[in-house]
Amino acid sequence: MDCTPNSLQGKSIIVTGAAQGIGRAIARLALDLGAQVTAVDLNAEALAELRLACGDAPLLTLAGSVADAEFAAHAVREAVARFGAVHGLVNNAGVTRPAMIEKMTAQAWQQVIDVHLTGSFHFLQAAGRHMLERARAGDATGGAIVNISSDAGRRGTIGQINYGAAKSGVLGLTMCAAREWGKYAIRVNTVGFGVVETPMTETIRSDKFRDTYLAQIPLGRWAAPEEVARPVCFLLSDAGSYVTGQHLSVNGGYTIGL
């Protein structure tokens, strides 16, 4: 028996948006911690590269859109067929379509809402149904769901009202699901990131905005994908067994408060 507190040995975890950036780092760390991982992404080519990089690790890759409810149900079924169950989910998939409020198109609004908010709901619902079925059949192992939010969802953001609204909505998903499913030992939490070194944050990290943002971060630097993956895996593990309905900010101190 593995007694390491944050071990994921024997756990089957689904990670959306897993082919690059933060999602890829979470998937790789989960594998290193002993998990069986189902990596979901829209980019089939990037998933193939991940599969190659992971060698013979217990990794299942599935290409599709998180905004498709049928695909979410399919992903859970495939994970169960391959690994026997789903014990954890990380709702990480995301896109950006920036524009100032008065210039934002309905399409740009909807695309971001569909991926971040509706997509998170589809996968939370599909994975939750499976976890509930196991619990009602007498399986007491429960499950752990981590929804990825952002500072934009807690304090707002300029030029991304679609993203900020979606990420704020993710906090609501977490709180409602945590209340409904706690009695089944299904824990649901949110991790909100600040500026992580990924392609999605290239504009913020550019010379034009760099100093302004760094001045607001007490740790004085950007986060690496590998280090923000660690608290996510903590919440998936038994080390987080009494944590649910919480919003953990992983942002170098960009937001500080009670």
Side-chain angles (χ1 to χ4, degrees):
M1 179 178 178
D2 192 331
C3 295
T4 306
N6 64 342
S7 170
L8 295 177
Q9 191 69 40
K11 295 185 184 294
S12 167
I13 310 294
I14 297 175
V15 182
T16 71
Q20 62 182 342
I22 295 169
R24 184 183 177 103
I26 293 169
R28 294 295 299 267
L29 179 57
L31 287 169
D32 290 344
L33 292 171
Q36 302 157 326
V37 174
T38 300
V40 171
D41 204 283
L42 189 62
N43 189 331
E45 183 177 346
L47 280 175
E49 293 174 359
L50 175 63
R51 169 71 276 177
L52 184 63
C54 290
D56 60 357
L59 175 69
L60 171 65
T61 59
L62 298 172
S65 171
V66 297
D68 180 350
E70 292 184 4
F71 174 66
H74 168 74
V76 172
R77 287 195 301 268
E78 289 296 303
V80 172
R82 174 70 67 88
F83 301 124
V86 171
H87 305 103
L89 165 68
V90 182
N91 272 317
N92 169 75
V95 296
T96 57
R97 299 290 185 272
M100 300 302 282
I101 296 171
E102 71 273 19
K103 296 180 179 179
M104 182 166 290
T105 65
Q107 182 182 26
W109 167 269
Q110 198 62 52
Q111 286 176 332
V112 171
I113 297 296
D114 284 349
V115 173
H116 288 275
L117 186 54
T118 305
S120 292
F121 168 73
H122 288 328
F123 269 81
L124 179 144
Q125 183 183 61
R129 283 171 171 166
H130 163 73
M131 294 173 184
L132 288 170
E133 182 179 354
R134 287 193 358 254
R136 288 164 178 163
D139 186 338
T141 57
I145 296 172
V146 180
N147 298 316
I148 303 303
S149 185
S150 168
D151 288 336
R154 301 192 75 172
R155 54 175 288 171
T157 183
I158 294 173
Q160 295 191 85
I161 192 172
N162 47 5
Y163 183 78
K167 288 306 192 183
S168 184
V170 165
L171 304 180
L173 288 183
T174 292
M175 293 184 288
C176 292
R179 289 189 182 279
E180 287 192 24
W181 293 345
K183 62 184 176 182
Y184 299 102
I186 300 170
R187 299 181 294 104
V188 189
N189 292 287
T190 302
V191 175
F193 299 131
V195 182
V196 185
E197 292 179 309
T198 69
M200 192 177 289
T201 64
E202 284 181 353
T203 299
I204 289 175
R205 293 184 290 109
S206 68
D207 291 343
K208 182 177 181 180
F209 300 107
R210 174 185 175 86
D211 291 344
T212 299
Y213 275 93
L214 284 177
Q216 301 176 68
I217 301 173
L219 289 185
R221 60 178 177 84
W222 315 125
E226 292 74 20
E227 67 181 325
V228 300
R230 296 171 198 149
V232 174
C233 288
F234 158 76
L235 290 170
L236 293 171
S237 76
D238 291 342
S241 60
Y242 200 59
V243 182
T244 194
Q246 302 305 304
H247 311 312
L248 175 60
S249 293
V250 182
N251 57 19
Y254 183 62
T255 57
I256 293 178
L258 296 176

